[in-house]
Amino acid sequence: QEVLGEDKLMAILKERELKIYWGTATTGKPHVAYFVPMSKIADFLKAGCEVTVLFADLHAYLDNMKAPWELLELRTRYYEHVIKAMLESIGVPLEKLKFVRGTDYQLSKEYTLDMYRLSSLVTQHDSKKAGAEVVKQVEHPLLSGLLYPGLQALDEEYLKVDAQFGGVDQRKIFTFAEKYLPSLGYAKRVHLMNPMVPGLTGSKMSSSEEDSKIDLLDRKEDVKKKLKKAFCEPGNVENNGVLSFIKHVLFPLKSEFVILREEKWGGNKTYTAYEALEKDFAEQVVHPGDLKNSVEVALNKLLDPIREKFNSPELKKLTNAAYPSPSKTKPAEKGTKNSEPEDVVPSRLDMRVGKVISVEKHPDADSLYVEKIDVGEPEPRTVVSGLVQFVPREQLQDRLVVLLCNLKPQKMRGVESQGMVLCASSLGEPRQVEPLDPPAGSCAGERVFVEGYESGCPDDELKPKKKVFEKLQADFCVSEDCVAQWKQKNFLTKLGRVSCKSLKGGSIS
């Protein structure tokens, strides 16, 4: 997508082949968007480049301890196996690649001294700014996160490369390296950037956001389920993770893409140019359901060899050890003691940005509205809300709301409601109610999460008897600056905080 230092790149190529490295911090499990850099690594090798793959284990620890020290070695081994399996899946010869671990050289005396030298030159502001798109941003950051950009800059010198390759989200770190490496007497490197593939929820595909990604080891039924929920609005080509995956992964690998569909809808159609497919989708010639089904088939062909490799007892054991699942405690049998309570955390709630498409009065209840709300699924959801006496119909029409999507559907006066619009309520009388407002510019289907609980997969359906929502809702409130919170932690989307217009200190239900 972008190259920094193209003149230097051309000058090197006149004399010899380029030496380049791509690094990945060994944190959450790699997902299908990793096929974007993998396919470009294949291009580099075909062009004769010398390519080094860095497993940045120390970076993983420094980034807000995304990889605990005791799991660092296990996760690095997992990454090594899975990245190699991905490259083999797309036909990249491994013998042409060099694989390096960060801790193989980053703990040396020379590297450590250079790190101290760099820290004497870099301001806190520059380091924080450099890592803003990559290092996890929290209210009270650890010092370790400020060291991260410096390490990545020094890697270019210690790996003896001409260029570093990464996603466009790395751009600030790349410009940081260009500014500070010459201060240590080292050469400024070339930087090449691939685009970031939007996730299935419309934001960047992320290891820490379960609904946004498809893991490389997801079962076929999981792939189907996640694609079914993916944001793929008819005719909308913006922030469409399904289309972007075709553009940046499937097309480059095969130079074509086949839409699979029944004869009554026109039969299969092969596209040899991505632009033609995007045009047909924008004009609604291609239906989102057919697009998702076709991606599912193509994606499973890529994932099958990886799944097969990781089906060995040795790699199954490694996967479970590197990513131990949170202990799911079963209810104690009658008569036993010491059973632990079920973990009730906000990440179990499937909260999404919704756009109200239509609002009608309930045919059999004067106090209820029946709304059609788009949450990024093929069809809008029908939702019944008791808002008639609080919110005029015209104020609901076409507005963005926050919808709780994994409550068990239930009939309200004969109409089945498939979700709950979350609203702020005043504590005094007369009661006032305001629907929560997602940040301006949000898209239907984007995930709403609580700060610090970005990871974790929501329950498919909240079981009424377990009262998960009710237990969490007891700590929902609106702050003095009208921000929605759970235990003083903000409700967020990728664009910022969820709020209400005026009900400071209110409750949320």
Side-chain angles (χ1 to χ4, degrees), residues 334-383:
K334 207 169 184 177
T336 64
K337 295 181 180 179
N338 300 324
S339 63
E340 295 182 28
E342 190 175 29
D343 202 14
V344 180
V345 291
S347 53
R348 294 182 63 180
L349 304 179
D350 182 4
M351 297 186 290
R352 297 184 230 163
V353 174
K355 182 174 182 180
V356 180
I357 297 172
S358 67
V359 188
E360 304 292 340
K361 280 277 194 76
H362 193 296
D364 297 318
D366 291 340
S367 63
L368 300 177
Y369 285 131
V370 178
E371 304 122 3
K372 293 288 185 183
I373 301 181
D374 175 14
V375 286
E377 296 170 336
E379 299 295 330
R381 293 193 177 210
T382 300
V383 177

Side-chain angles (χ1 to χ4, degrees), residues 219-501:
R219 301 171 303 165
K220 290 187 176 183
E221 50 267 40
D222 293 327
V223 173
K224 180 184 287 290
K225 184 176 168 184
K226 288 182 178 180
L227 281 171
K228 189 175 180 181
K229 290 169 66 177
F231 173 74
C232 192
E233 187 178 53
N236 187 350
V237 299
E238 298 297 322
N239 295 320
N240 188 324
V242 182
L243 266 180
S244 289
F245 189 75
I246 297 171
K247 179 179 181 179
H248 296 298
V249 176
L250 299 177
F251 252 106
L253 290 176
K254 298 287 185 183
S255 300
E256 66 175 31
F257 186 73
V258 181
I259 290 291
L260 307 170
R261 57 189 175 193
E262 297 179 33
E263 287 298 330
K264 64 179 179 180
W265 303 118
N268 295 353
K269 183 171 181 179
T270 300
Y271 289 88
T272 54
Y274 170 76
E275 292 72 21
L277 171 60
E278 186 179 275
K279 182 173 181 289
D280 277 1
F281 186 81
E283 295 173 358
Q284 300 190 34
V285 174
V286 173
H287 188 272
D290 293 328
L291 190 76
K292 290 180 178 183
N293 290 339
S294 306
V295 168
E296 181 188 339
V297 171
L299 181 54
N300 278 320
K301 285 181 182 176
L302 282 178
L303 297 183
D304 277 341
I306 302 171
R307 293 185 186 117
E308 186 177 345
K309 184 171 182 177
F310 273 76
N311 205 28
S312 71
E314 179 193 354
L315 290 184
K316 277 184 178 177
K317 184 178 178 181
L318 173 62
T319 304
N320 292 332
Y323 298 93
S325 57
S327 55
K328 292 184 179 177
T329 53
K330 297 177 183 177
E333 293 179 19
K334 207 169 184 177
T336 64
K337 295 181 180 179
N338 300 324
S339 63
E340 295 182 28
E342 190 175 29
D343 202 14
V344 180
V345 291
S347 53
R348 294 182 63 180
L349 304 179
D350 182 4
M351 297 186 290
R352 297 184 230 163
V353 174
K355 182 174 182 180
V356 180
I357 297 172
S358 67
V359 188
E360 304 292 340
K361 280 277 194 76
H362 193 296
D364 297 318
D366 291 340
S367 63
L368 300 177
Y369 285 131
V370 178
E371 304 122 3
K372 293 288 185 183
I373 301 181
D374 175 14
V375 286
E377 296 170 336
E379 299 295 330
R381 293 193 177 210
T382 300
V383 177
V384 180
S385 302
L387 295 174
V388 171
Q389 59 183 313
F390 303 109
V391 185
R393 182 171 153 186
E394 61 272 15
Q395 288 184 18
L396 272 180
Q397 179 67 44
D398 296 325
R399 72 167 287 158
L400 295 178
V401 294
V402 175
L403 193 71
L404 179 61
C405 295
N406 58 343
L407 289 173
K408 183 177 181 180
Q410 62 177 25
K411 287 196 173 181
M412 297 179 70
R413 300 292 290 271
V415 177
E416 184 176 81
S417 183
Q418 299 166 324
M420 177 194 292
V421 176
L422 294 182
C423 299
S425 301
S426 63
L427 299 177
E429 294 294 336
R431 188 180 177 215
Q432 294 175 277
V433 175
E434 296 173 356
L436 294 183
D437 290 315
S442 297
C443 294
E446 283 178 16
R447 189 175 172 216
V448 176
F449 55 89
V450 171
E451 184 180 5
Y453 292 87
E454 297 88 337
S455 59
C457 194
D459 292 12
D460 289 337
E461 184 177 282
L462 298 171
K463 304 300 180 191
K465 287 184 179 178
K466 295 193 174 180
K467 306 283 185 189
V468 173
F469 173 69
E470 290 80 357
K471 290 172 185 175
L472 291 165
Q473 190 260 337
D475 292 302
F476 285 180
C477 69
V478 178
S479 71
E480 288 304 308
D481 52 354
C482 291
V483 176
Q485 296 184 330
W486 175 80
K487 292 187 175 181
Q488 284 75 57
K489 295 182 182 292
N490 297 333
F491 283 39
L492 301 169
T493 74
K494 62 172 185 175
L495 294 179
R497 303 185 299 182
V498 173
S499 59
C500 70
K501 286 188 171 55

Side-chain angles (χ1 to χ4, degrees), residues 136-154:
K136 185 176 180 180
Q137 300 299 296
V138 294
E139 191 173 352
H140 300 291
L142 297 171
L143 180 60
S144 59
L146 296 175
L147 299 176
Y148 190 113
L151 265 73
Q152 190 164 335
L154 287 173

